[in-house]
Amino acid sequence: MKNRLLAALALLWLMPALALGEITVRSETTGDDVNRIVHFAPKAEDTAGGESALSEEEQLAQETLMLQITGALDMRFAQSRAAQLYANAQASGDSRRVIHQTPFVYADDALASLAILWEGTQPDGTQGCRPYSLTLDLTTGQELALADLFDDPDGAVAAMEAIIGRDVLEEMNTYVEVYDLLPMPTDCFSVDETGLTVYYTDERFRTFEGRSGYVTFYWYELEAYIGKDSPVYALSRPQAADAEAIRAADGVFDANRLPGLRVTLGSAMDACALTDEPDCTRDSILYTALDAGLRGFAVEIPKYAETAEEDTPISAVRASRISWHGLTTGKTTREQIVALLGEPERTALYDTDDAADMMLEPGESLIYTMQGYVLEAHLDGGGVLSCLILHASLPERLY
């Protein structure tokens, strides 16, 4: 048995050369809105043609890697303790919250990046809300630190802290009780297709609901610090410029996160956290997204609709921070937009007063009619893309 274990450990060093089946990480949620836990576990996907296609050495190496990943998951997320707390809560019949976990999960065949916000009784018996995270290289089972993602870790952290100071802190509103965001923590994070999310303890960033806060940085904001050897290089590359994809979109910037134009405000409130203190433009009511993963996103409903606000269809979705099929706020120029989409069907100029009325920067908008929506690409005074707005139909002010 000892020799077998030593052999397995030795084989872990050789795994890149072995034809192992792919390993990914799956999550399973148990419970409801009161008490809920999340369980992470590795799963082997045999891509070598069946179990028999793996040699005995390869099978042993894979089993050892699976055990290593399982141990890392159980230790970081205290999964046994969480299951015990949940079982006790169920057995007691008490309707109060004992443990409630919210997962953030990304996994492919090379990387698993996982986080939870754990509310209620913590593993050490204290009360509150704490974030826990783990990012793993699934080919080796090794944990990846934030610094492992960047060619210049110090530069990347400085860039993220600059974004927090310039953009995030200015947007803190009454839904936040505590927001001591700088310096930024680097020991609790996760990544996904959207970007990199940094999590804070509730002593430093806490909503009035008692939840720990977090900040998401979009990949286009960090790509200058991510080299080809980074484990997130492929994730961080921007979408290719694709005019057909833009024209064929159905009014959804990100189908996994933000509802499209044909839903009501009530549906949007259920799907993602929106502010309950909206702003008003000249012709719409503007609800900004509170979720850190939707920084810069907002939805609009008509200002003078005859229906109740929660029953009113969304008339527009806007994003002031996005990289979308070749359109990147803060980077894409007027010339590049025209090269991609052609000359606009119409334009609109916003002076200082007009821009303030529409909650935009002074500048020019390029208007395009797409399949099922109208795209307004708004440029700042320097001719650089400042905001994308997808309208359900052409607003009267743009005729």
Side-chain angles (χ1 to χ4, degrees), residues 49-354:
E51 184 177 343
S52 60
L54 296 178
S55 69
E56 182 178 353
E57 288 184 340
E58 290 166 345
Q59 289 182 45
L60 180 58
Q62 185 179 74
E63 291 169 4
T64 304
L65 179 58
M66 293 273 285
L67 288 173
Q68 181 179 342
I69 294 172
T70 298
L73 294 170
D74 288 346
M75 181 174 295
R76 180 59 50 84
F77 298 109
Q79 297 195 139
S80 297
R81 173 64 171 155
Q84 180 186 44
L85 289 169
Y86 179 76
N88 292 344
Q90 296 299 99
S92 71
D94 196 325
S95 61
R96 291 176 296 180
R97 175 169 290 182
V98 174
I99 179 172
H100 189 274
Q101 296 181 339
T102 302
F104 302 82
V105 181
Y106 174 80
D108 55 31
D109 58 355
L111 181 75
S113 192
L114 316 163
I116 58 172
L117 291 185
W118 182 324
E119 300 173 72
T121 305
Q122 299 298 306
D124 61 3
T126 60
Q127 298 294 314
C129 181
R130 293 287 186 277
Y132 301 84
S133 72
L134 181 64
T135 297
L136 289 172
D137 181 335
L138 293 178
T139 65
T140 65
Q142 297 300 307
E143 179 176 1
L144 296 171
L146 188 73
D148 296 328
L149 309 183
F150 301 106
D151 286 355
D152 178 8
D154 292 339
V157 171
M160 288 186 275
E161 291 187 334
I163 291 171
I164 291 172
R166 183 184 67 242
D167 301 333
V168 179
L169 286 175
E170 286 191 4
E171 297 176 1
M172 291 291 102
N173 58 30
T174 55
Y175 89 100
V176 176
E177 183 179 9
V178 177
Y179 50 97
D180 175 24
L181 271 61
L182 293 173
M184 184 190 80
T186 59
D187 59 349
C188 194
F189 72 94
S190 67
V191 303
D192 61 14
E193 300 94 331
T194 300
L196 184 149
T197 299
V198 173
Y199 303 89
Y200 289 77
T201 62
D202 58 359
E203 292 94 348
R204 293 193 55 193
F205 188 1
R206 182 173 68 248
T207 69
F208 278 113
E209 289 75 26
R211 301 191 72 199
S212 296
Y214 50 95
V215 176
T216 293
F217 305 92
Y218 299 138
W219 286 127
Y220 80 88
E221 298 175 306
L222 303 176
E223 62 179 309
Y225 303 94
I226 299 173
K228 291 185 178 181
D229 293 331
S230 169
V232 297
Y233 178 77
L235 272 178
S236 68
R237 294 305 92 186
Q239 292 174 323
D242 189 341
E244 289 306 311
I246 293 172
R247 294 189 179 99
D250 62 357
V252 180
F253 278 117
D254 183 344
N256 294 322
R257 294 184 179 272
L258 198 65
L261 302 174
R262 291 182 291 275
V263 300
T264 64
L265 179 64
S267 298
M269 289 286 192
D270 292 338
C272 60
L274 299 176
T275 181
D276 57 4
E277 296 182 358
D279 294 300
C280 288
T281 72
R282 183 183 304 163
D283 54 11
S284 68
I285 302 175
L286 185 69
Y287 288 83
T288 57
L290 300 178
D291 189 322
L294 293 172
R295 181 164 53 89
F297 280 77
V299 299
E300 300 180 27
I301 60 172
K303 193 172 186 177
Y304 303 107
E306 296 181 357
T307 53
E309 287 189 10
E310 63 272 14
D311 298 325
T312 302
I314 290 173
S315 58
V317 177
R318 64 164 69 187
S320 60
R321 294 180 181 87
I322 193 170
S323 185
W324 190 57
H325 300 299
L327 301 176
T328 301
T329 50
K331 294 188 178 182
T332 306
T333 64
R334 188 187 199 283
E335 292 74 19
Q336 290 170 325
I337 295 172
V338 171
L340 179 61
L341 297 175
E343 290 292 336
E345 298 164 25
R346 61 189 74 210
T347 61
L349 292 176
Y350 295 81
D351 61 22
T352 302
D353 291 337
D354 293 332

Side-chain angles (χ1 to χ4, degrees), residues 27-41:
S27 65
E28 181 179 353
T29 301
T30 303
D32 52 31
D33 290 338
V34 178
N35 288 294
R36 181 175 67 195
I37 57 172
V38 180
H39 186 268
F40 299 116

